[in-house]
Amino acid sequence: MSIRISKYFLASIIFLISFQVSKGQVGLCPPNLDFEAGDFSGWECRWGLTFDGLPLPNIGPQPGRHTIIDAATAGTDFYGGFPELCPNGSGYSVKLGNNGTGRQSESVSYTYTIPPTLTVFSMIFHYAVVLQNPNHSVLEQPRFQARIIDMSTGNTIPCVTFDFTATTAPGGFLPSPNSPPNGLVVYKGWTPITVNLNAYIGRTIRLEFITNDCTLGAHFGYAYLDVNTNCNGAISGTNICVGDNAITLTAPFGFQSYAWYTDNTFTTILSTNQTLPLNPAPTVGTVFPVIVTPYPGFGCIDTLYATIGVSPKPVSNAGADVAICKFQQAQLGGASAPTLTYEWTPASQVSNPTISNPLAWNIPPNPTEFIVKTTDILTGCFSYDTTIVSNVVVDNAITATGNLAFCDYGLPEATLSVNNTSSPIQWYNNSNPVAGATGAIYQPMVSGDYWAQLTQNGCTDSTQTISIAVHPLPQASFTFVSDSGCVTDNSFLFTNTSSISDNSSLQYNWKFSDGVTLQTLDAVRVFDAVGNYNLALVISSAFGCKDSTAPVDLFILPNGVPNFKWDSVCRDQPVLFTNLSKENGSVSVSYNWSFDDGNPSSPVKDPSPVTYLSSGIKNVVLEMTTLGCENDPQSLTKKIKVNAPDAGVRYRTITVPEGSSKTIHVRDSVGSNFLWKPQVQLSSYTTRYTEFFATANDVEYQIDITDENTCVTTDTILMQVLKKPGYYLPTAFTPNGDGLNDVARPYLVRMKSLKSFSVFNRWGNLIFYTTTEGEGWDGTYKGMKQDSGVYVWILEFMNNDNKLLIEKGTITIIR
């Protein structure tokens, strides 16, 4: 029966064959037909390419193409998911081929002459197959072949000749879930084939298995094989073991159906299972036949016979109880026998669970009981023995106190100690021994994974590992340009130069003595108050390790406030500037005055008086520089007005008869301080008004009139003293109301009396007349000011002789 696989089916065959040879007595099967020697002794291995034909040209096991699989190396097949080691209980199977490509072809064969003295000879082999389907023609596809050849005739034996490809494989093949993109994979798990060779006793036979990749080179095939160890009927459990009251007959696994009969008449069926339990055990010599039917396409129906015998149980030897050091191995069991098989539990704790004397190890803390089951492969009888493997206990307790993570301030904060103080001790950091650290207590000062190695009762053990983290200290530092600054112009930059050896992140805290703090990498600070400050930088690592700089003193120096005043400013007059600047406690202040108008500057605090030679607005600048504020000198500019004195005037001459006095005055429009020079014949020399005493000769006075700006205007007036008899009348006067020469009056010198004083205009009209001595004309007529010009006067007066004298003349009004 065959099945056709789609073109996507992987035409790669994984063929796993377990070849089971039934042995009725010792020597019945040829050596290593079951691969239990763990090699290919007795087998012929060949390899070549798919187009080489059979037999393949190259002889000998080819690595990767002829592979012995044991319990230690076995896994599950990638494509089929079935075990690589045959589940028939054997210790070894064979993998033929691989999942490589390139037109590879492999074969194994065993040639044997069945002894003519035998009456029964049969075998059971097992295989599993994986085929990759490239959708080629049948002849081009990967394939698996199995056959037994009668060497005397060259013919193959029916029912055990197979030739599988992906598209011709019988039922029972399944698609692989792990098929590659270039072709679907189908597989068949472990399948038994029983072969009755009684008809070939005395003849030479050849058992042969062949795997091929596809002939075009891109698709693969491989197989697993195994053979049972008996060649006389393949029924296990046929011997009643001494001491047992029941037996269980077991037919080979993997057939589609089983039929157990009571005897050779085949009339009564006892069971249709693989096993036949018999309790109580039957009589020795009883025969129980079983008909095994394979799955369609996988062999022929066969009848196997179980003849009941009696056999002693084999002697099991697990070995003496033993105590071993941790991680060491103990030798179990004893010498092996060729007819015995061994099964150790727990299998995961022995080097090989199927040999008589494996190496074993314990898993602390509890002892492990190892059990060996020893089975006679000829009789099926078995027995058990046990041994205890325990560990020599080394007290490896370790205690950690203190801080397991701390900052490297130079003192240890973690203490590691062991309880076992009687054994030699060596402390380790990771895999490196710590020099000199051989005591029960150790205090690490560097980061690492610490543990102690201890030796006790001949065994060496180690404590658990304690991780210690010693975090480096940051190193706080910073730089700056100057430790002093001016209060009116300062900006300090503090450049952070801190570091930490592991380059981890740092946090910064700049602490100023006035309470200001900054958390920036670098610090920029402007101080607005004079005083002495200090600064410290405190840094913290991510773990919290800290360092700080020593406080650094900073000095904020005062700046000055310039100011000045002056007394008065007048051209050609010295002016005194007074410095009113505030130095605010500065220990050193320099000044510089700039006076404008070509005057030289002055570097002193209080300059000498300055004289300006021109009038107008002048810019006076005072610049002051205090210690520490050289980059921010303070200056003050004031605009001052340099005044010019008014032009002096000359008053009209005033005539005063000798022996009389007259009140005179000067103008007050140009100043308010007066000084009459020379200081003679006046009642006051510092007032505007004064009285002149005509007691001597004529006097010409210079009157210095000083204004608020110290400008001095000098006026002039001539005082004439009339000493000869007669009269005096000015030739002109200025009736402008300024108090000077505002009235034209006649003065009589040593005359008896005035008779009349008359003034006429140009038309001869009388415009002024008086008979009173001392009264004069103010330049008006009937309250109206008369025009500037020349007027005629007539003066009549009596001399001491009572004689009338008449004088005429002119007088000019000047407005």
Side-chain angles (χ1 to χ4, degrees):
M1 180 179 181
S2 65
I3 60 172
R4 178 168 297 273
I5 309 298
S6 73
K7 66 179 180 179
Y8 303 106
F9 216 77
L10 195 61
S12 169
I13 301 179
I14 299 180
F15 179 38
L16 298 111
I17 300 180
S18 170
F19 187 26
Q20 177 171 341
V21 180
S22 301
K23 293 181 180 178
Q25 65 266 6
V26 177
L28 183 61
C29 287
N32 202 37
L33 185 62
D34 54 4
F35 303 108
E36 292 304 304
D39 55 29
F40 287 102
S41 58
W43 289 82
E44 182 181 73
C45 298
R46 286 180 174 269
W47 55 278
L49 298 175
T50 56
F51 50 75
D52 285 333
L54 297 176
L56 296 172
N58 303 301
I59 300 176
Q62 181 71 3
R65 297 169 72 176
H66 301 87
T67 306
I68 295 291
I69 294 177
D70 59 22
T73 61
T76 57
D77 183 78
F78 175 75
Y79 296 101
F82 48 78
E84 294 178 324
L85 188 65
C86 182
N88 68 342
S90 65
Y92 297 89
S93 295
V94 170
K95 181 177 181 180
L96 186 62
N98 54 49
N99 64 348
T101 58
R103 300 185 180 92
Q104 295 178 352
S105 181
E106 304 83 20
S107 71
V108 291
S109 64
Y110 197 104
T111 302
Y112 177 62
T113 300
I114 302 174
T117 58
L118 299 180
T119 58
V120 175
F121 191 88
S122 65
M123 66 177 68
I124 296 179
F125 63 82
H126 300 258
Y127 69 87
V129 182
V130 173
L131 300 173
Q132 186 178 16
N133 181 9
N135 201 29
H136 301 331
S137 67
V138 172
L139 294 179
E140 293 174 334
Q141 294 188 22
R143 62 194 335 105
F144 165 69
Q145 295 170 275
R147 60 187 181 178
I148 299 178
I149 302 173
D150 180 355
M151 301 300 291
S152 62
T153 64
N155 297 324
T156 58
I157 298 175
C159 296
V160 292
T161 299
F162 305 104
D163 187 358
F164 296 153
T165 68
T167 57
T168 64
F173 277 79
L174 298 173
S176 170
N178 296 320
S179 297
N182 68 334
L184 183 65
V185 170
V186 293
Y187 68 91
K188 182 73 170 74
W190 286 102
T191 301
I193 300 296
T194 179
V195 184
N196 189 335
L197 297 174
N198 291 339
Y200 297 89
I201 291 176
R203 299 184 188 183
T204 300
I205 62 171
R206 175 181 291 168
L207 175 61
E208 186 174 31
F209 305 99
I210 306 162
T211 57
N212 291 319
D213 292 342
C214 81
T215 60
L216 300 182
H219 303 86
F220 59 83
Y222 63 91
Y224 296 86
L225 316 172
D226 202 359
V227 182
N228 279 12
T229 310
N230 287 328
C231 293
N232 67 340
I235 305 296
S236 63
T238 58
N239 285 281
I240 302 172
C241 301
V242 174
D244 292 345
N245 296 320
I247 62 173
T248 297
L249 304 180
T250 303
F253 88 98
F255 288 89
Q256 184 178 33
S257 65
Y258 301 87
W260 291 90
Y261 291 89
T262 56
D263 52 33
N264 289 335
T265 62
F266 297 95
T267 56
T268 303
I269 295 178
L270 294 177
S271 175
T272 57
N273 296 321
Q274 181 188 356
T275 59
L276 176 62
L278 297 172
N279 188 3
T283 304
V284 174
T286 304
V287 176
F288 294 94
V290 58
I291 298 175
V292 291
T293 302
Y295 287 93
F298 294 97
C300 298
I301 298 175
D302 197 3
T303 300
L304 307 177
Y305 296 89
T307 301
I308 305 303
V310 61
S311 297
K313 292 183 177 181
V315 177
S316 288
N317 179 18
D321 295 344
V322 63
I324 60 174
C325 298
K326 187 178 181 180
F327 305 121
Q328 291 184 345
Q329 295 179 339
Q331 181 71 62
L332 303 184
S336 64
T339 60
L340 301 179
T341 62
Y342 306 92
E343 181 182 355
W344 289 88
T345 56
S348 62
Q349 289 179 236
V350 294
S351 58
N352 189 336
T354 63
I355 63 176
S356 64
N357 56 350
L359 295 175
W361 53 89
N362 184 37
I363 300 177
N366 298 321
T368 300
E369 180 183 51
F370 289 89
I371 303 172
V372 60
K373 178 182 179 182
T374 305
T375 302
D376 188 328
I377 60 176
L378 298 178
T379 65
C381 294
F382 59 87
S383 65
Y384 295 93
D385 192 23
T386 63
T387 185
I388 304 296
V389 176
S390 59
N391 285 98
V392 175
V393 178
V394 176
D395 185 359
N396 63 351
I398 184 172
T399 302
T401 58
N403 297 320
L404 303 186
F406 58 92
C407 299
D408 187 9
Y409 291 113
L411 295 175
E413 296 186 22
T415 300
L416 307 180
S417 60
V418 295
N419 296 336
N420 193 340
T421 59
S422 62
S423 66
I425 300 170
Q426 174 63 57
W427 291 92
Y428 284 78
N429 181 358
N430 296 313
S431 59
N432 303 312
V434 180
T438 57
I441 297 176
Y442 180 64
Q443 293 180 303
M445 282 299 297
V446 297
S447 296
D449 296 324
Y450 289 89
W451 54 279
Q453 185 181 79
L454 307 101
T455 302
Q456 185 178 15
N457 298 326
C459 291
T460 299
D461 200 355
S462 59
T463 66
Q464 72 178 91
T465 299
I466 304 295
S467 293
I468 302 296
V470 182
H471 296 277
L473 291 183
Q475 301 297 317
S477 62
F478 63 90
T479 60
F480 55 95
V481 175
S482 175
D483 63 353
S484 62
C486 181
V487 69
T488 58
D489 181 28
N490 68 83
S491 180
F492 290 81
L493 171 61
F494 304 99
T495 302
N496 198 328
T497 57
S498 303
S499 62
I500 189 169
S501 60
D502 62 0
N503 295 320
S504 59
S505 61
L506 294 173
Q507 293 180 329
Y508 308 99
N509 189 18
W510 301 85
K511 302 179 70 174
F512 295 88
S513 57
D514 60 352
V516 174
T517 60
L518 299 173
Q519 286 73 43
T520 54
L521 174 63
D522 299 322
V524 176
R525 178 73 196 279
V526 174
F527 295 88
D528 56 7
V530 174
N532 296 338
Y533 301 81
N534 63 58
L535 166 65
L537 172 59
V538 180
I539 62 175
S540 302
S541 68
F543 180 75
C545 301
K546 294 185 177 182
D547 188 32
S548 63
T549 64
V552 173
D553 291 328
L554 304 172
F555 305 95
I556 307 303
L557 302 174
N559 208 342
V561 181
N563 194 16
F564 61 91
K565 70 176 183 176
W566 60 95
D567 51 359
S568 61
V569 183
C570 188
R571 186 189 65 197
D572 301 325
Q573 297 292 325
V575 56
L576 180 63
F577 290 93
T578 302
N579 196 327
L580 303 177
S581 301
K582 294 182 179 180
E583 297 183 350
N584 294 324
S586 177
V587 298
S588 177
V589 183
S590 62
Y591 293 91
N592 190 57
W593 293 83
S594 296
F595 297 108
D596 205 354
D597 201 30
N599 287 293
S601 61
S602 176
V604 299
K605 179 178 181 180
D606 295 307
S608 299
V610 177
T611 300
Y612 290 95
L613 301 180
S614 64
S615 59
I617 302 301
K618 312 296 181 181
N619 291 320
V620 178
V621 180
L622 172 59
E623 182 179 88
M624 65 183 302
T625 303
T626 62
L627 179 66
C629 295
E630 290 81 2
N631 294 328
D632 188 31
Q634 301 294 297
S635 65
L636 174 64
T637 300
K638 289 188 177 183
K639 294 182 180 297
I640 66 173
K641 180 179 180 181
V642 178
N643 298 281
D646 291 292
V649 298
R650 185 177 186 84
Y651 300 98
R652 292 196 178 273
T653 301
I654 298 175
T655 302
V656 181
E658 186 179 18
S660 64
S661 65
K662 185 173 180 60
T663 299
I664 59 176
H665 66 278
V666 294
R667 56 183 175 170
D668 63 359
S669 59
V670 296
S672 58
N673 295 313
F674 307 92
L675 179 61
W676 296 76
K677 297 180 296 182
Q679 296 184 359
V680 294
Q681 298 177 227
L682 296 176
S683 62
S684 172
Y685 301 99
T686 59
T687 58
R688 178 187 178 194
Y689 289 89
T690 186
E691 186 175 2
F692 174 72
F693 298 99
T695 59
N697 297 325
D698 296 346
V699 181
E700 184 174 87
Y701 289 100
Q702 290 184 336
I703 306 94
D704 291 339
I705 306 173
T706 304
D707 63 15
E708 60 183 0
N709 298 309
T710 71
C711 289
V712 177
T713 299
T714 302
D715 289 350
T716 305
I717 187 170
L718 176 62
M719 300 299 295
Q720 287 184 332
V721 178
L722 298 178
K723 295 182 178 181
K724 64 179 181 177
Y727 70 95
Y728 169 76
L729 191 65
T731 60
F733 72 111
T734 57
N736 54 11
D738 63 355
L740 298 175
N741 299 314
D742 289 334
V743 178
R745 63 172 61 87
Y747 292 95
L748 298 179
V749 180
R750 295 177 185 175
M751 295 292 106
K752 183 176 180 179
S753 63
L754 174 68
K755 183 178 180 181
S756 68
F757 174 59
S758 302
V759 179
F760 300 88
N761 62 17
R762 66 181 67 184
W763 293 282
N765 298 322
L766 179 66
I767 58 175
F768 177 75
Y769 177 81
T770 184
T771 60
T772 303
E773 187 175 352
E775 189 175 64
W777 179 45
D778 62 1
T780 65
Y781 176 64
K782 295 183 180 181
M784 298 291 291
K785 291 181 178 180
Q786 298 301 295
D787 295 333
S788 296
V790 178
Y791 294 83
V792 178
W793 57 265
I794 298 175
L795 177 64
E796 294 180 325
F797 57 89
M798 301 295 291
N799 64 14
N800 291 327
D801 294 331
N802 291 320
K803 184 179 178 179
L804 177 65
L805 298 178
I806 300 173
E807 297 289 341
K808 297 181 181 179
T810 60
I811 190 169
T812 302
I813 292 179
I814 301 174
R815 293 193 183 274

